[in-house]
Amino acid sequence: MTMVEKAAMEKGADSKKSKLTRIQREKREQILRAALDVFAIEGLRGATLAKIADAAGMSKPHVVYYFGSKDAIYTDLLESLLETWLSPLRELSAEGEPLAEILTYVRRKLRMSQDMPRESKLFATEILHGAPRTVDQLSGELKSLVDEKAAVIEKWSSEGKLANVDPHHLIFSIWAMTQHYADFDVQVCAILGQPRAEQLFDEADAYLTDFFVRALRPTVE
Amino acid sequence: MTMVEKAAMEKGADSKKSKLTRIQREKREQILRAALDVFAIEGLRGATLAKIADAAGMSKPHVVYYFGSKDAIYTDLLESLLETWLSPLRELSAEGEPLAEILTYVRRKLRMSQDMPRESKLFATEILHGAPRTVDQLSGELKSLVDEKAAVIEKWSSEGKLANVDPHHLIFSIWAMTQHYADFDVQVCAILGQPRAEQLFDEADAYLTDFFVRALRPTVE
DNA sequence: GTCTATAAATCGATAGAC
DNA sequence: GTCTATCGATTTATAGAC
């Protein structure tokens, strides 16, 4: 086992990275950036150490030296991105104006699809294939967060500030529609005739805002 | 090259299968069924001939004998399923009542996600990874169909029979929301706490119907 | 047509020089 | 720390017996 591996295996997530030198952190970041490109396009099995090493501008054993295995790179990527991925939902506030809060959430998620399509595809592929590395976090951390925010939405509905919708399925709808533009961009562009990416997301923003306003505005009684 | 391969390579999609004997067709069907299971879970790269052969109850060379290569099985699967996959949209009729037509389409797509989750995952993975084998059909056959139906929806909107929405993005929304339940079933079940599959789709049906009615009902002027 | 055995290629990971 | 060379395992595909 290498020195870097020993340091990385120190118990506790906090100590994990603090034990690394600046150069070690930078090398690892460099590899993670390259690996994201490769994994997003090729998937875990399709990606090879050779491609990752090539994209990172290093030799194959050098990549292994820093992470121990291809699988470790993949797992590290998923873990390090999860918090970022969930942050838009975390920011949904019970204190704000209901419809505006949800529209802001939709926009943040759509922005995330636009800015981080590789990350979106990484998670999509992982879940699509049964999420063997992630299923614990899905039914733990993620479920807690969703349940908490669903309760907020439920309360808004019951107070008549929002149309009466199942809050869990509403969250699924928001995920589905926004991530669709990142995950299935090839299909979307093929059908729309290859618009500029920026224009596409402007269209999607206008469409989704309009769509959710109509669907969620409380019915006049 | 084998006899089966020779027959399969006869030019023209129609002659392709008619040249095969009944037994040859049955064997090929048997392999395709087994391969769908394996590809849907493991992806193209993750699937191996050994797993496919095992699932089909044959030896590895026997599988190759009928299809020539692993890739050929995968491509054949995608092609043979495309028509089924598009059929719900094809059935959207310009003659029917607008809102009812769209709700019927949503329900058919949702039913398809429920009944054919493996097929859904197969297409999702393919497109997610850039659709190298399918991109021609996406910008050809699929684009034509979508453009045609989008024009119908556009007309309904302009006649005031439907809310004013971008018809292409509406179709994307329907795909995204319905396929989400098949493609990301692991995540959905983790968050909802593993409900029975049938119950989940009943919930989704009620939710989506309600949601689209609200979003698409024409605004009173 | 169907099998066993194996060739040929690929890939993850390691050894060991520097 | 970083490299070249290579091992060992896996996997696609073929050869050849029956």
Side-chain angles (χ1 to χ4, degrees), chain B residues 24 59 61-62 66:
Chain B
Q24 284 169 337
S59 70
H62 202 176
Y66 276 102

Side-chain angles (χ1 to χ4, degrees), chain A:
Chain A
M1 181 173 291
T2 68
M3 291 306 294
V4 177
E5 271 300 284
K6 273 182 191 155
M9 285 188 64
E10 295 284 319
K11 62 176 179 280
D14 286 339
S15 73
K16 184 173 178 179
K17 299 215 167 167
S18 62
K19 295 272 182 167
L20 302 176
T21 69
R22 185 181 58 84
I23 289 187
Q24 283 170 338
R25 266 200 309 276
E26 282 175 4
K27 288 279 183 185
R28 286 174 66 99
E29 284 299 322
Q30 192 178 342
I31 292 169
L32 287 176
R33 270 197 305 273
L36 179 57
D37 271 327
V38 181
F39 283 133
I41 295 173
E42 318 259 3
L44 171 57
R45 313 264 187 160
T48 66
L49 280 175
K51 285 176 190 165
I52 295 171
D54 201 52
M58 314 177 181
S59 69
K60 216 163 49 168
H62 201 176
V63 171
V64 177
Y65 174 77
Y66 275 102
F67 278 92
S69 72
K70 184 175 88 165
D71 224 274
I73 306 175
Y74 184 77
T75 305
D76 200 294
L77 258 184
L78 282 176
E79 276 182 23
S80 68
L81 292 173
L82 183 63
E83 197 44 47
T84 306
W85 204 243
L86 297 187
S87 62
L89 184 53
R90 255 186 235 290
E91 292 173 27
L92 184 89
S93 165
E95 319 303 326
E97 199 277 312
L99 188 54
E101 281 294 325
I102 289 181
L103 291 179
T104 300
Y105 174 50
V106 171
R107 283 213 182 88
R108 282 194 182 118
K109 278 292 289 177
L110 184 64
R111 170 68 61 108
M112 204 151 237
S113 282
Q114 180 172 17
D115 294 343
M116 306 174 73
R118 295 168 307 170
E119 288 83 346
S120 185
K121 287 178 180 178
L122 193 78
F123 280 117
T125 308
E126 169 70 6
I127 294 168
L128 207 47
H129 290 5
R133 291 161 188 76
T134 326
V135 75
D136 288 346
Q137 286 162 327
L138 293 185
S139 44
E141 191 181 355
L142 179 57
K143 178 174 165 50
S144 302
L145 177 61
V146 171
D147 283 345
E148 176 198 328
K149 299 303 183 181
V152 171
I153 296 171
E154 181 98 70
K155 185 159 168 291
W156 287 337
S157 287
S158 71
E159 291 170 354
K161 295 175 181 171
L162 215 59
N164 224 328
V165 292
D166 182 303
H168 284 94
H169 287 271
L170 173 61
I171 290 172
F172 294 152
S173 294
I174 295 172
W175 289 349
M177 287 201 234
T178 56
Q179 291 174 8
H180 188 88
Y181 290 100
D183 299 341
F184 305 123
D185 57 348
V186 173
Q187 181 173 255
V188 168
C189 288
I191 288 171
L192 294 182
Q194 314 286 354
R196 279 177 37 248
E198 197 186 322
Q199 185 193 328
L200 168 62
F201 278 93
D202 284 349
E203 268 182 45
D205 187 301
Y207 167 80
L208 289 178
T209 302
D210 203 56
F211 194 77
F212 278 105
V213 166
R214 248 197 287 272
L216 296 179
R217 202 166 28 195
T219 317
V220 193
E221 299 181 15

Side-chain angles (χ1 to χ4, degrees), chain B residues 9 21 42 78 85 91 104 109 114 129 132 135 137 143 146-147 178 195 197 217 219:
Chain B
M9 285 188 67
T21 69
E42 318 259 3
L78 283 175
W85 204 244
E91 292 173 27
T104 299
K109 278 293 288 177
Q114 180 172 17
H129 290 5
V135 75
Q137 286 163 327
K143 177 174 164 50
V146 171
D147 284 345
T178 56
R217 202 167 27 197
T219 317

Side-chain angles (χ1 to χ4, degrees), chain B residues 9 27 60 82 99 101 123 162 201 207-208 211 216 218:
Chain B
M9 285 188 67
K27 288 278 182 186
K60 222 164 38 173
L82 184 62
L99 188 54
E101 281 293 324
F123 281 116
L162 216 60
F201 277 93
Y207 167 80
L208 289 178
F211 194 77
L216 296 179

